[in-house]
Amino acid sequence: MNTCTPRSHIVDSGFYSSGYTTAEARQVFCDVQRYQRWLDVEAALALAQADLGMIPTAAAEHIAA
């Protein structure tokens, strides 16, 4: 059974990461923060679309929440 986790970049590597990045940079660019930024963009888009009357305001507020 293979217990390795696929890594997409050298800074994700448990072995090499400390040589190529810092703990602070890993916090900024971690998957959780990346996904949150994507969600923030989606929320802003929905709110802008509601302002333009493209989608209902209640739907935009639900998406932003």
Side-chain angles (χ1 to χ4, degrees):
M1 182 166 133
N2 187 354
T3 59
C4 291
T5 303
R7 303 290 183 176
S8 62
H9 195 273
I10 197 164
V11 298
D12 295 329
S13 167
F15 184 74
Y16 291 110
S17 66
S18 62
Y20 292 93
T21 190
T22 64
E24 293 83 5
R26 280 192 298 278
Q27 287 180 335
V28 170
F29 295 105
C30 75
D31 287 344
V32 172
Q33 295 298 326
R34 181 178 300 118
Y35 295 144
Q36 185 59 58
R37 287 189 300 272
W38 290 345
L39 293 172
D40 293 344
V41 168
E42 291 294 330
L45 175 62
L47 293 169
Q49 289 175 327
D51 286 344
L52 295 171
M54 296 172 67
I55 66 173
T57 300
E61 290 170 352
H62 182 73
I63 291 168

